[in-house]
């Protein structure tokens, strides 16, 4: 009788596991599409068009000495974009931990994700209104869009431990980045058609750029619908007297205190904060370097970034496979060494020589997606269960929220030396120091300390 009961139970248990796996795959597929939605902002807006365009707008508003005066502060027009990026991530720093704590306390990540996504998408679409000397409007919209993207990524990343098993994380995270780079490449092709053919469309060059900027916001808003339909919120067990209304700065302090219980997780975050600051600065300032220092045409920059997007898909998937064989930590360390070599090569690039800029773009593309995807999946193993959004807010502070030091260093270096070559080479220190700090983190012990199962390779 008991044997019959056991036999009857096994198919039901197997069916339950199959149903759970199918539900998890459905959420994963929806999750990929937020990268597909928002990555066009990072690619078309932040990396390609907005830097050179906002710099040109600032120069149009500059005085005879080449300075603009936001809030009465004298700023060299060529540094305005870098400083605005820094300001945007400082704003994000103030918001992200509060949103992460609220998401964990309430269990309602999805409504918060929707609010952040559509605030950012609206601000990006509003960039169509830039023109003439409206550099202040451009700076304001950049701050709103960049901060909104950072907040939305806190919530998006916090789903990763909930929708994937420990063994799946490197693969799922890498596929998310691959989806993002695929959409970035697709939209850049459309941007290239609009920009290159603006005369045949009856558009000025400025109008074509503003259409490309605004289209990124429309794309972001349109495809964000898919993850918002497929992802689901999980119920949370609240401690008495600690409902969602108790979040705020007190919660931020409590989160930081709680993270002190996991010093190895903090050690990883410190390393990530430093090397990713370099990554984000290269992403945001590469087009300025190409247009201002290397004197390359906008169409050349678009093709170069398109090359980055295509190769980043292969890089993300390829480095995901390397991580399965060698572990995420070793694979990331290899990518950081490649980043440092790439920047050193970029310092010596001759001006007005697109072929060498394309070679540099290819090197960046091969390491970009993988280093970001594997960092995200590695951190997901270091997060205590039930605190995903709260801890990923700290991660996102390192990802975008605290990536203001790099742009600030870049902007200050240019302001002091007047050379973008000196500015770009100054970023090597972020990758070198990040490499040293990451190599010192015992990741297996860090996973165990967080109370999570340790994968066979990490």
């Amino acid at each position: 009788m008991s044997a019959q009961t056991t036999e009857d139970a096994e198919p039901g248990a197997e069916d339950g596991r199959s149903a759970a796996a199918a539900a998890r795959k459905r959420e994963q597929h929806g999750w990929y599409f937020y990268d597909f939605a928002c990555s066009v902002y990072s690619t078309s807006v932040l990396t390609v068009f907005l830097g050179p365009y906002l710099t040109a707008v600032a120069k149009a508003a500059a005085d005879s000495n080449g300075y603009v005066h936001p809030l009465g502060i004298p700023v060299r027009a060529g540094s305005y974009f870098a400083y605005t990026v820094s300001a945007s991530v400082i704003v994000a720093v103030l918001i992200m931990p509060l949103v992460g704590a609220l998401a964990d306390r309430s269990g309602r990540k999805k409504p918060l994700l929707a609010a952040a996504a559509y605030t950012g998408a609206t601000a990006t679409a509003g960039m169509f209104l830039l023109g003439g000397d409206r550099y202040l409007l451009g700076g304001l919209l950049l701050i709103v869009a960049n901060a909104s993207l950072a907040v939305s990524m806190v919530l998006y990343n916090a789903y990763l431990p909930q929708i994937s098993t420990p063994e799946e994380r490197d693969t799922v995270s890498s596929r998310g980045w691959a989806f993002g780079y695929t959409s970035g490449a697709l939209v850049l092709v459309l941007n290239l058609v609009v920009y290159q053919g603006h005369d045949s469309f009856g558009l000025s060059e400025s109008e074509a750029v503003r259409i490309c900027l605004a289209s990124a916001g429309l794309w972001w808003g349109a495809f964000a619908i898919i993850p918002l339909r497929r992802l689901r919120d999980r119920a949370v067990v609240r401690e008495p007297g600690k409902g969602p209304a108790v979040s705020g700065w007190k919660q931020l302090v409590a989160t930081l205190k709680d993270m002190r219980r996991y010093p190895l997780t903090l050690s990883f975050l410190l390393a990530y904060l430093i090397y990713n600051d370099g990554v984000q600065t290269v992403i945001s300032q590469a087009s300025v370097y190409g247009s201002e220092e290397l004197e390359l045409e906008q169409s050349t920059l678009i093709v170069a970034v398109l090359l980055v997007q295509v190769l980043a898909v292969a890089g993300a998937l390829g480095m995901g496979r390397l991580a399965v064989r060698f572990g995420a930590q070793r694979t990331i360390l290899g990518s950081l060494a490649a980043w440092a070599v790439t920047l050193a090569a970029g310092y010596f690039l001759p001006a007005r020589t697109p072929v060498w800029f394309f070679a540099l773009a290819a090197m960046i593309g091969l390491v970009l997606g993988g280093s970001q995807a594997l960092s995200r999946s590695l951190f997901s193993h270091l997060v205590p269960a039930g605190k995903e959004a709260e801890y990923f807010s700290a991660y996102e502070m390192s990802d975008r929220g605290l990536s203001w030091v790099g742009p600030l260093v870049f902007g200050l270096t240019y302001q002091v030396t007047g050379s973008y070559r000196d500015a770009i080479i100054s970023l090597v220190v972020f990758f070198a120091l990040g490499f040293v700090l990451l190599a010192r983190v015992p990741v297996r012990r860090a996973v165990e300390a967080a109370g999570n199962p340790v994968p066979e390779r990490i």
Side-chain angles (χ1 to χ4, degrees):
M1 185 70 172
S2 60
Q4 180 65 39
T5 302
T6 302
E7 291 174 0
D8 290 342
E10 288 179 351
E14 183 65 31
D15 289 344
R17 286 192 292 270
S18 298
R24 193 169 65 246
K25 291 296 183 185
R26 174 180 170 80
E27 280 198 274
Q28 289 172 6
H29 293 154
W31 187 80
Y32 299 149
F33 269 95
Y34 191 70
D35 252 323
F36 192 85
C38 71
S39 290
V40 297
Y41 169 83
S42 298
T43 303
S44 291
V45 177
L46 201 59
T47 304
V48 177
F49 288 106
L50 189 58
Y53 186 74
L54 189 55
T55 300
V57 171
K59 287 182 175 180
D63 59 22
S64 58
N65 295 318
Y67 285 81
V68 291
H69 300 269
L71 303 177
I73 302 170
V75 173
R76 191 190 289 263
S79 296
Y80 178 71
F81 175 68
Y83 289 155
T84 305
V85 172
S86 290
S88 72
V89 292
I90 290 172
V91 171
V93 164
L94 301 176
I95 301 172
M96 288 190 297
L98 309 182
V99 173
L102 178 59
D104 282 333
R105 289 285 184 85
S106 66
R108 294 178 61 79
K109 295 185 185 71
K110 194 157 67 169
L112 294 170
L113 175 60
Y118 284 103
T119 298
T122 300
T124 305
M127 291 178 185
F128 180 77
L129 302 176
L130 299 182
D133 59 357
R134 297 177 182 173
Y135 76 97
L136 287 175
L137 176 61
L140 176 62
L141 292 175
L142 170 58
I143 288 171
V144 173
N146 232 26
S148 297
L149 177 65
V151 171
S152 73
M153 292 303 290
V154 168
L155 303 160
Y156 167 70
N157 288 335
Y159 275 103
L160 180 59
Q162 297 178 336
I163 64 172
S164 58
T165 65
E167 291 74 18
E168 293 175 331
R169 299 234 183 111
D170 288 342
T171 300
V172 171
S173 184
S174 296
R175 285 176 180 171
W177 281 107
F179 265 62
Y181 287 119
T182 299
S183 73
L186 176 59
V187 172
L188 270 183
V189 170
L190 299 176
N191 290 160
L192 184 61
V193 171
V194 172
Y195 181 80
Q196 288 287 78
H198 65 267
D199 287 334
S200 61
F201 294 124
L203 301 171
S204 67
E205 184 176 348
S206 173
E207 288 171 337
V209 170
R210 288 187 284 123
I211 287 173
C212 292
L213 292 171
S215 66
L218 298 178
W219 181 282
W220 185 357
F223 284 98
I225 294 172
I226 298 175
L228 292 174
R229 287 179 62 88
R230 290 200 172 189
L231 292 172
R232 61 183 180 86
D233 286 329
R234 271 76 173 169
V236 295
V237 179
R238 298 177 188 159
E239 297 178 32
K242 290 190 177 181
V246 188
S247 60
W249 291 107
K250 290 183 179 179
Q251 177 59 48
L252 171 57
V253 172
T255 300
L256 295 176
K257 287 182 178 179
D258 185 71
M259 292 188 71
R260 291 166 57 187
R261 298 166 52 201
Y262 305 97
L264 297 180
T265 299
L266 282 175
S267 296
F268 171 82
L269 273 178
L270 176 61
Y272 180 70
L273 182 155
I274 292 172
Y275 73 72
N276 187 66
D277 203 346
V279 172
Q280 295 300 321
T281 306
V282 173
I283 290 172
S284 65
Q285 304 303 320
S287 60
V288 176
Y289 180 69
S291 63
E292 299 294 322
E293 183 68 38
L294 303 183
E295 303 175 30
L296 300 174
E297 297 291 334
Q298 184 74 63
S299 57
T300 300
L301 299 178
I302 296 173
V303 173
V305 176
L306 179 60
L307 180 62
V308 169
Q309 300 303 300
V310 172
L311 291 178
V313 174
L317 297 176
M319 287 181 66
R321 292 191 181 97
L322 288 175
V324 172
R325 182 174 180 181
F326 299 107
Q329 185 183 31
R330 289 182 180 178
T331 307
I332 295 169
L333 289 171
S335 75
L336 297 183
W339 270 109
V341 171
T342 300
L343 283 183
Y347 177 83
F348 295 103
L349 287 186
R352 298 181 297 279
T353 311
V355 64
W356 289 111
F357 192 70
F358 292 151
L360 186 73
M363 293 170 66
I364 290 174
L366 289 173
V367 296
L368 176 61
S371 60
Q372 293 176 316
L374 294 178
S375 296
R376 178 170 63 186
S377 61
L378 180 55
F379 181 70
S380 73
H381 293 286
L382 311 181
V383 178
K387 298 184 178 182
E388 291 84 6
E390 201 171 326
Y391 273 58
F392 265 108
S393 70
Y395 175 86
E396 194 63 24
M397 285 170 65
S398 301
D399 190 358
R400 288 178 175 85
L402 287 186
S403 295
W404 56 270
V405 179
L408 183 61
V409 168
F410 187 94
L412 285 173
T413 303
Y414 176 76
Q415 179 135 346
V416 171
T417 67
S419 169
Y420 282 108
R421 291 186 187 274
D422 292 338
I424 203 72
I425 200 64
S426 69
L427 303 178
V428 170
V429 67
F430 290 91
F431 296 100
L433 184 55
F435 181 100
V436 172
L437 292 176
L438 178 60
R440 292 169 59 89
V441 178
V443 292
R444 287 188 170 275
R445 282 171 45 203
V447 176
E448 291 173 348
N452 295 321
V454 182
E456 183 178 347
R457 290 201 179 272
I458 192 169

